[in-house]
Amino acid sequence: MLKRSTKIASAVIGLVTLVEAAAFSGTYLFHTRHYVSTDNAKVDGDAIEINAPRTGTLLSWSLTTGSTVSANEVVGRIEEIGSGGQPQRVIKAPRAGTIAATNVVPGQYVTAGTKLATAYDSVYVTARVAEEDIEGVREGSLVDITADAYPGRPLLGQVLDIQAATAGQFTIYPAAGTDPRNPQKIEQYVPVRIALLNTNGVVISPGMNVDVAIRRS
């Protein structure tokens, strides 16, 4: 026979567990009712490559990660090798953008066409939403975003566009341990492009992993 105190303790533990489970279920239902969420999302952008116009030694280089450039801005100079007078050639940014990565330093020898830096003229989030959830997403909907690199700095976005959904597909190659006579459905995802409205003062770069919660309209 269990002691009375043991029975009371067990009952209390059971009650606390039920309360916690109910609270979790309530929070989950509230969230799914008001948001379409996915962690299958990354910061993306339209890349601009800045390449070496000639083979030679990099005399100067002004770009750093996070710096901005304008179209045709001079960002460096190369002393061309192989010419009699070894003339200097300027390096220009082809379009305006924000530098995401630089690959060189002054004094470095580079060959014509070498990628010196990568910039982006627009940065956005591409979220892959499960096909069965896409009906809850609308263009113009606000989006709460959390970047893995900045867990305590919430970001705000807005849905720009939604790609057309594709029909579910089936594969004839079932996973190990499943009945080979039953084709397995492949999970389908619809890419959703999200503009960044407020980055909360942090630098958001393409390739970052993010979680998104799209507010249902």
Side-chain angles (χ1 to χ4, degrees), residues 52 54-59 78-82 103-112 114 116:
R54 295 286 189 274
T55 297
T57 301
L58 192 65
L59 296 179
I78 286 179
E79 185 175 64
E80 188 177 356
I81 304 298
N103 308 316
V104 292
V105 294
Q108 185 173 333
Y109 178 81
V110 296
T111 57
T114 298
L116 307 178

Side-chain angles (χ1 to χ4, degrees), residues 157-170:
Q158 186 174 36
V159 175
L160 284 178
D161 56 64
I162 306 163
Q163 287 194 5
T166 58
Q169 297 180 359
F170 290 83

Side-chain angles (χ1 to χ4, degrees), residues 84-158:
Q86 293 186 325
Q88 292 185 17
R89 298 279 182 170
V90 298
I91 306 167
K92 294 183 178 181
R95 302 200 308 273
T98 301
I99 303 302
T102 62
N103 308 316
V104 292
V105 294
Q108 185 173 333
Y109 178 81
V110 296
T111 57
T114 298
K115 183 165 65 175
L116 307 178
T118 302
Y120 289 85
D121 62 2
S122 62
V123 176
Y124 50 87
V125 169
T126 300
R128 290 164 178 80
V129 177
E131 188 177 34
E132 60 267 24
D133 296 331
I134 198 65
E135 65 178 2
V137 179
R138 298 285 184 273
E139 290 185 10
S141 295
L142 293 178
V143 186
D144 299 314
I145 305 169
T146 303
D148 290 1
Y150 307 104
R153 306 290 289 272
L155 316 176
L156 182 65
Q158 186 174 36

Side-chain angles (χ1 to χ4, degrees), residues 46 74 127 189-190 196 217:
D46 301 321
V74 175
Y189 294 93
V190 180
L196 291 166
S217 301

